[in-house]
Amino acid sequence: MDRIIRASQQQSLISTHKVLRNTYFLLGLTLAFSAVTATLSTVFALPSPGFILMLVGFYGLMFLTYRLANSPAGILAAFAFTGFLGYCLGPILNSFLTAGMGDVIAMALGGTALVFFCCSAYVLTTRRDMSFLGGMMMAGFVVLLVAVIANIFLQLPALHLAISALFILFSAGAILWETSNIIHGGETNYIRATVSLYVSLYNIFVSLLSLLGFANKE
């Protein structure tokens, strides 16, 4: 019986390592592809898709990716999703470059990488179960949603900065939670895990751009 239990635990550990390895590999590829589409969008000064089209593309492609996550087509959907978000970054990056704030983009990239490395390293080294963050993240999502909707009508700079800061905290928590979920066997699909981590990185980068850009203007 003990031998069977040990064999089962070893098989579970191998499966977890495989999911983690595939997640980071696909995340690296999608980030590279997103960087390419963002660069092309910036170089050719492609127009912004607009708020409504971006929301439709974001949630539509995310739903498609999750729907196809258990098939090879899910990988193509993940690239379509991350490529679209890369394209949406182009006009934002263009506005910073035009304003002579290329250093802000570099700092935002560095800050995003630092947050991801610290959060991932913490969970991977301590192997702490971060499932307790689930309830807090749900509450945080509701607060962020209400704040975003409110600022559509209020257009308050202070509220916009507060939302950006909250997005960074929320996304850092999402990285902790998702990484923990993978290593403890809660997430067994590397495509879904990749999309979750990518969205967190995207939100951190855009939020840092907003905060650093405001500070640079000041």
Side-chain angles (χ1 to χ4, degrees):
M1 178 64 72
D2 289 341
R3 185 180 298 175
I4 295 175
I5 293 175
R6 285 197 299 271
S8 176
Q9 290 175 338
Q10 185 177 11
Q11 185 62 36
S12 176
L13 187 62
I14 292 172
S15 177
T16 298
H17 285 167
K18 183 179 179 181
V19 173
L20 188 64
R21 183 179 66 250
N22 289 342
T23 297
Y24 283 157
F25 180 69
L26 183 58
L27 180 63
L29 291 179
T30 52
L31 285 172
F33 182 66
S34 183
V36 170
T37 57
T39 300
L40 292 175
S41 180
T42 303
V43 170
F44 293 104
L46 298 180
S48 172
F51 182 70
I52 300 300
L53 184 57
M54 183 177 178
L55 282 182
V56 172
F58 179 89
Y59 287 106
L61 288 171
M62 177 180 276
F63 174 79
L64 179 65
T65 304
Y66 274 73
R67 185 69 180 271
L68 300 174
N70 292 314
S71 68
I75 297 176
L76 296 178
F79 276 100
F81 173 69
T82 56
F84 173 74
L85 288 185
Y87 159 73
C88 293
L89 268 180
I92 300 174
L93 298 179
N94 241 334
S95 64
F96 277 84
L97 291 173
T98 302
M101 292 192 288
D103 56 328
V104 170
I105 297 175
M107 286 190 290
L109 279 172
T112 302
L114 181 61
V115 171
F116 178 71
F117 174 79
C118 290
C119 292
S120 299
Y122 174 76
V123 177
L124 292 174
T125 53
T126 64
R127 301 191 67 83
R128 184 177 179 185
D129 185 0
M130 308 297 290
S131 58
F132 67 91
L133 289 175
M136 289 186 286
M137 288 180 61
M138 180 57 67
F141 175 78
V142 173
V143 171
L144 277 171
L145 182 62
V146 171
V148 168
I149 293 174
N151 206 39
I152 292 176
F153 301 99
L154 299 177
Q155 294 293 312
L156 298 176
L159 182 56
H160 177 75
L161 293 177
I163 290 171
S164 296
L166 286 173
F167 258 115
I168 294 173
L169 293 174
F170 178 83
S171 299
I175 293 172
L176 291 170
W177 181 83
E178 188 63 54
T179 306
S180 172
N181 204 24
I182 295 172
I183 66 175
H184 289 99
E187 178 59 85
T188 58
N189 186 286
Y190 69 93
I191 296 177
R192 287 196 300 263
T194 296
V195 169
S196 175
L197 291 174
Y198 176 91
V199 170
S200 296
L201 289 171
Y202 187 92
N203 285 335
I204 291 172
F205 177 63
V206 172
S207 299
L208 281 175
L209 276 179
S210 180
L211 290 175
L212 293 173
F214 181 82
N216 190 279
K217 288 179 181 178
E218 290 298 311

XYZ file of all heavy atoms in Angstrom, residues 1 35 39 50 74 95 99 166 169 172 187 193 200 208 211:
96
model
N 0.827 -1.207 0.000
C 0.000 0.000 0.000
C 0.867 1.265 0.000
O 0.589 2.215 -0.723
C -0.919 0.000 1.226
C -1.794 1.260 1.344
S -2.972 1.443 -0.009
C -4.138 0.146 0.420
N 5.107 40.850 -27.977
C 6.093 41.930 -28.155
C 6.257 42.262 -29.638
O 6.402 43.439 -30.006
C 7.427 41.520 -27.555
N 5.333 45.798 -31.277
C 6.358 46.543 -32.014
C 5.851 46.948 -33.390
O 6.020 48.103 -33.820
C 7.638 45.700 -32.166
O 8.139 45.369 -30.866
C 8.706 46.456 -32.930
N -10.085 51.003 -30.038
C -11.195 51.607 -29.311
C -11.595 50.754 -28.118
O -11.351 49.548 -28.081
N -6.293 25.266 -28.794
C -6.211 26.228 -27.707
C -4.909 27.013 -27.734
O -4.871 28.174 -27.317
N 2.218 56.769 -27.910
C 1.971 58.039 -27.220
C 3.116 58.367 -26.261
O 3.499 59.529 -26.112
C 0.638 57.982 -26.458
O 0.682 57.017 -25.427
N 5.914 61.447 -26.732
C 6.119 62.420 -25.642
C 7.537 62.371 -25.090
O 7.847 63.059 -24.113
C 5.114 62.157 -24.528
N -4.160 49.608 -7.634
C -4.918 48.430 -7.223
C -4.762 47.290 -8.228
O -4.713 46.114 -7.839
C -6.404 48.791 -7.062
C -6.767 49.607 -5.823
C -8.231 50.030 -5.871
C -6.496 48.802 -4.552
N -1.518 45.489 -7.442
C -1.668 44.616 -6.282
C -2.502 43.381 -6.612
O -2.159 42.252 -6.243
C -2.310 45.382 -5.117
C -1.477 46.507 -4.497
C -2.291 47.266 -3.447
C -0.209 45.942 -3.871
N -0.479 41.037 -8.911
C 0.570 40.348 -8.151
C -0.042 39.203 -7.346
O 0.515 38.090 -7.280
C 1.285 41.328 -7.228
N -4.443 23.451 -10.860
C -4.535 23.782 -12.286
C -3.710 22.770 -13.065
O -2.497 22.674 -12.886
C -4.030 25.200 -12.537
C -4.058 25.614 -14.011
C -5.454 25.541 -14.602
O -6.203 26.524 -14.439
O -5.793 24.497 -15.228
N -3.443 28.252 -17.569
C -2.478 28.866 -16.641
C -1.675 29.952 -17.338
O -1.418 31.021 -16.766
C -1.546 27.788 -16.082
N -2.149 38.869 -16.054
C -1.598 39.544 -14.876
C -0.393 40.407 -15.253
O -0.279 41.557 -14.812
C -1.183 38.511 -13.822
O -2.303 37.800 -13.350
N 1.761 50.134 -14.533
C 3.033 50.815 -14.256
C 3.283 51.938 -15.248
O 3.793 53.008 -14.877
C 4.183 49.805 -14.297
C 4.381 48.933 -13.059
C 5.473 47.899 -13.298
C 4.724 49.789 -11.837
N 1.188 54.870 -13.991
C 1.731 55.509 -12.793
C 3.034 56.248 -13.077
O 3.219 57.400 -12.673
C 1.962 54.453 -11.707
C 0.717 53.839 -11.065
C 1.110 52.722 -10.112
C -0.096 54.901 -10.331
